[in-house]
Amino acid sequence: MNLLNDTFIKSHGLNARRIRLHQRRILQALRNEINTEISIKNACSVQDGSIIAWNIVAKILSTHTSDCLNWQQNHLVGCIPAAGAASRFFLELQHFVNAVRQQIEQNLELNPLSLQEQFAFLPSLVRHAGHPNVEYSSILVTYDFCCNLIENYSLKPKLIVPATLEGDTFLKLKIEEQINLISSLGTTLVVPNSMKKEIQQILYQLKPKEYEKWLVLEQDNKLSTVRFLRNGEPLLDENGKYSIVSAGHGELLHIFDNIADNFPQAHCLHIRNIDNIIGTTQQRKQELNIPTNLFYNLRKILEAIRKKIPCINFHSPTIQDKELSEMLLFISKIILPNEDFRGNTEINCKSMYNLFSKLFHWQPLAENMSNIEIWKLILENCERPLSVLGVVKKEKGDVGGGPVFAKVSDGNNIKLCMEMPHATPEDAKEFFSDTGKTAYFNPVLVFFELRTHTNSNTNTGKKVNFVQLFDERFWLLSKREYKGIPVCYHETVLYELIGNSATTNLVFVEVPRSLFKPHKSYLDCLEQNRESYGFNKNFEP
């Protein structure tokens, strides 16, 4: 066995302790000593209340007054993961370029009809390149257009790729959205290693007045791991060095710690990917305000419990508290809309636990628990950070995981935002295929608590212990090929780490499809201009 060398690991800018942990887990998985797959028990749904219905929460919040806007402006920080390279983004264009290049090299006359039959997107691509019709000359110009795109952007991050006919990059559109869609304390942009200064310069050029509110952080080698061969030995490249690879989006939790330090007043992160472009219309603002408001109100309730319950008499099965009673009534209306739940100032610890268990999927109470044990368990569970994940109804072609109930290695059933690689092949087909049982797709927006126990005088609080969220039950053995060599590496997924009921107070809320416009391929950008995205056509950079 090729042993890891701590000095060698550190020379790559990596964390030796973490890389050794990764290798140990990988070896255990390769030897079948541990199972990295998670068994799905059922799909979450609106019908059973495990996903909060859009129409219900919208109706309740429309009559529920709050100072959510003031809270957003002073305590909410946006987070835009944007470290991913654009290499796969141009895959279809590369296939087109290869086909044209092959015909040119073989001295064949380009056949527009044949190419159009082979590439259904060709008419849109030709028009996007500035030509009205598919013909011989326009194909050559389009070929040059595609070659330039691939050459200039395929090895760069997606955030600097042009996404509109006007030439606006994803970064430019995202800045416009962030400023106009949701008021916030600031925004964090997560960029690739060694690109911080370049992106900071672009930000300053685009929006100098907003520049101070933007924090640029790099997803550097400290958040990476190394590739291993299928026997568990580290892969060495042609220079005899370890082959470094991103350890997954879950590593962003380390960046959350940095964000919290840079924004001491921040209570919450609002996360949306760089390629989810929805525009800045008034309708989008109103739609986005609903999950924001839901998070705000649920957090107020948790904060009230965190403050009040330690002060009560744990020997008593009930407490008298009008404010808590009103808050529990708010929860019951969301998760039990068809039941006549009336507020009562006398709150029973067992019924209170069961109500929160319905919302957050806490574990069932054990038999014969004392009042003291129940109150302490309520307080213990409320210490977990709140995580609100917006999910959309699944449509044909939505490939990926979704919100499910799953059984983890300790035997507990939990609510989980599950990634498809964690499922068994049988479960993936049964739940995540086009005809699968999951009716909802993985989250399109996330609100996650950065701090708890807010001090009303200073508006600061206790920073969440993000390291504790690196739960060993939620890591993936990623098996790939690298330069033709079968490799594997340790990977974590952010939305599993902050989207599971074992370590967070997790809520799934249905959001409209209009809040989800991802760009997984350059084809999604074809013939799109500012207006088609929902921006003012004359907005200034």
Side-chain angles (χ1 to χ4, degrees):
M1 173 63 64
N2 186 353
L3 298 176
L4 289 165
N5 181 293
D6 284 2
T7 304
F8 203 21
I9 293 172
K10 292 175 182 177
S11 71
H12 289 68
L14 300 167
N15 182 305
R17 185 190 61 80
R18 290 177 63 245
I19 301 302
R20 288 190 173 281
L21 172 66
H22 294 175
Q23 186 185 37
R24 184 170 69 250
R25 288 177 176 172
I26 287 170
L27 283 169
Q28 289 176 319
L30 292 173
R31 294 167 180 165
N32 295 317
E33 296 172 359
I34 57 173
N35 180 19
T36 61
E37 293 174 336
I38 298 175
S39 175
I40 300 177
K41 310 309 292 182
N42 207 346
C44 294
S45 70
V46 166
Q47 288 71 31
D48 66 9
S50 53
I51 298 176
I52 300 175
W54 174 258
N55 61 334
I56 291 173
V57 71
K59 181 180 178 180
I60 292 171
L61 289 174
S62 66
T63 59
H64 195 84
T65 58
S66 71
D67 55 351
C68 182
L69 180 60
N70 180 62
W71 172 80
Q72 289 176 39
Q73 293 170 341
N74 293 287
H75 307 295
L76 183 145
V77 174
C79 180
I80 305 171
S87 50
R88 297 181 187 177
F89 196 60
F90 298 104
L91 189 61
E92 292 89 351
L93 300 195
Q94 187 65 66
H95 290 327
F96 166 72
V97 165
N98 292 344
V100 173
R101 185 174 293 156
Q102 184 179 24
Q103 293 190 29
I104 292 173
E105 290 173 350
Q106 294 175 359
N107 294 316
L108 298 175
E109 184 174 348
L110 295 177
N111 186 331
L113 183 59
S114 174
L115 285 169
Q116 190 169 330
E117 289 176 354
Q118 187 178 354
F119 302 103
F121 58 82
L122 187 56
S124 293
L125 180 60
V126 168
R127 289 192 294 271
H128 190 82
H131 297 269
N133 301 307
V134 179
E135 53 191 21
Y136 183 88
S137 59
S138 67
I139 287 178
L140 287 175
V141 174
T142 304
Y143 168 79
D144 286 338
F145 171 79
C146 292
C147 287
N148 287 331
L149 271 176
I150 293 168
E151 181 181 351
N152 291 328
Y153 298 106
S154 64
L155 298 180
K156 294 182 179 179
K158 193 184 292 183
L159 79 164
I160 60 174
V161 173
T164 67
L165 289 169
E166 293 90 348
D168 304 310
T169 63
F170 281 107
L171 175 58
K172 180 178 175 182
L173 297 177
K174 209 64 179 181
I175 292 172
E176 193 68 16
E177 278 190 355
Q178 206 64 24
I179 292 171
N180 294 288
L181 265 185
I182 183 167
S183 299
S184 65
L185 175 65
T187 301
T188 299
L189 188 66
V190 184
V191 303
N193 197 11
S194 304
M195 285 201 69
K196 180 176 179 177
K197 288 184 179 180
E198 179 182 344
I199 299 303
Q200 283 178 324
Q201 187 175 9
I202 293 173
L203 279 170
Y204 186 75
Q205 291 171 345
L206 290 174
K207 291 289 179 183
K209 291 182 180 179
E210 296 284 330
Y211 179 74
E212 294 299 325
K213 295 177 66 175
W214 284 72
L215 173 68
V216 180
L217 297 175
E218 291 180 345
Q219 190 166 353
D220 56 19
N221 283 357
K222 293 177 183 177
L223 308 182
S224 298
T225 187
V226 300
R227 294 181 176 93
F228 292 89
L229 298 170
R230 296 292 175 88
N231 63 0
E233 293 187 8
L235 173 69
L236 300 181
D237 63 19
E238 57 274 13
N239 298 315
K241 295 184 176 182
Y242 292 142
S243 177
I244 298 174
V245 63
S246 168
H249 282 162
E251 297 300 313
L252 292 179
L253 280 175
H254 294 294
I255 287 178
F256 287 5
D257 199 64
N258 200 334
I259 295 171
D261 290 340
N262 275 275
F263 294 98
Q265 302 289 320
H267 299 165
C268 166
L269 272 186
H270 166 46
I271 310 168
R272 266 192 332 121
N273 288 344
I274 187 73
D275 64 5
N276 183 14
I277 304 296
I278 61 175
T280 57
T281 63
Q282 187 61 30
Q283 186 175 355
R284 297 294 88 78
K285 291 172 70 173
Q286 291 171 349
E287 290 169 347
L288 188 57
N289 184 59
I290 290 173
T292 312
N293 213 329
L294 175 65
F295 176 91
Y296 170 72
N297 280 283
L298 292 179
R299 184 177 185 274
K300 273 180 62 177
I301 293 170
L302 281 175
E303 284 288 81
I305 293 172
R306 290 162 179 161
K307 291 175 182 176
K308 291 188 176 187
I309 290 186
C311 304
I312 69 168
N313 178 7
F314 278 6
H315 292 278
S316 171
T318 61
I319 58 171
Q320 293 279 340
D321 194 294
K322 183 178 180 181
E323 182 186 18
L324 273 183
S325 177
E326 291 175 352
M327 290 177 172
L328 297 181
L329 178 60
F330 174 82
I331 292 176
S332 68
K333 286 179 179 178
I334 290 174
I335 60 174
L336 304 168
N338 299 320
E339 297 187 20
D340 185 17
F341 183 95
R342 300 185 186 280
N344 190 325
T345 55
E346 186 175 88
I347 299 167
N348 179 280
C349 61
K350 191 170 184 179
S351 61
M352 181 179 180
Y353 183 94
N354 289 335
L355 186 65
F356 277 94
S357 179
K358 178 75 173 174
L359 177 65
F360 297 130
H361 199 72
W362 290 351
Q363 294 301 306
L365 288 171
E367 292 185 11
N368 303 318
M369 289 187 71
S370 68
N371 296 326
I372 293 176
E373 290 173 321
I374 295 174
W375 282 123
K376 286 183 176 180
L377 191 55
I378 290 173
L379 182 59
E380 179 184 318
N381 286 348
C382 285
E383 294 289 303
R384 300 172 182 171
L386 173 63
S387 193
V388 174
L389 277 60
V391 295
V392 293
K393 286 183 179 179
K394 189 167 68 176
E395 294 182 355
K396 188 175 178 62
D398 285 340
V399 180
V404 298
F405 295 108
K407 187 174 183 177
V408 287
S409 55
D410 60 9
N412 283 333
N413 290 321
I414 65 168
K415 189 165 63 173
L416 175 64
C417 177
M418 190 176 196
E419 286 292 328
M420 196 155 58
H422 249 146
T424 65
E426 296 77 17
D427 281 350
K429 182 178 180 181
E430 182 179 356
F431 290 93
F432 298 142
S433 64
D434 278 342
T435 57
K437 293 180 180 178
T438 52
Y440 289 83
F441 191 56
N442 260 349
V444 303
L445 54 90
V446 172
F447 293 89
F448 179 69
E449 199 170 18
L450 280 178
R451 284 185 171 84
T452 62
H453 301 82
T454 303
N455 184 308
S456 57
N457 295 322
T458 63
N459 257 315
T460 58
K462 184 173 72 174
K463 189 168 61 172
V464 169
N465 187 340
F466 303 107
V467 174
Q468 286 186 346
L469 300 180
F470 279 97
D471 194 307
E472 65 177 352
R473 292 169 291 186
F474 306 112
W475 71 274
L476 291 170
L477 177 62
S478 190
K479 293 183 177 181
R480 305 285 175 88
E481 276 201 4
Y482 178 70
K483 296 183 178 180
I485 303 172
V487 298
C488 57
Y489 54 91
H490 187 286
E491 187 175 12
T492 56
V493 183
L494 179 62
Y495 294 153
E496 283 191 350
L497 296 181
I498 66 174
N500 72 80
S501 63
T503 57
T504 68
N505 284 313
L506 172 64
V507 173
F508 291 119
V509 59
E510 178 186 33
V511 297
R513 193 82 186 188
S514 51
L515 293 180
F516 182 48
K517 194 171 182 180
H519 294 72
K520 302 304 180 187
S521 159
Y522 191 78
L523 301 186
D524 296 324
C525 300
L526 294 184
E527 299 186 88
Q528 297 279 356
N529 59 22
R530 291 172 179 173
E531 288 181 286
S532 63
Y533 277 119
F535 294 93
N536 183 328
K537 66 178 180 180
N538 296 318
F539 82 75
E540 291 296 325

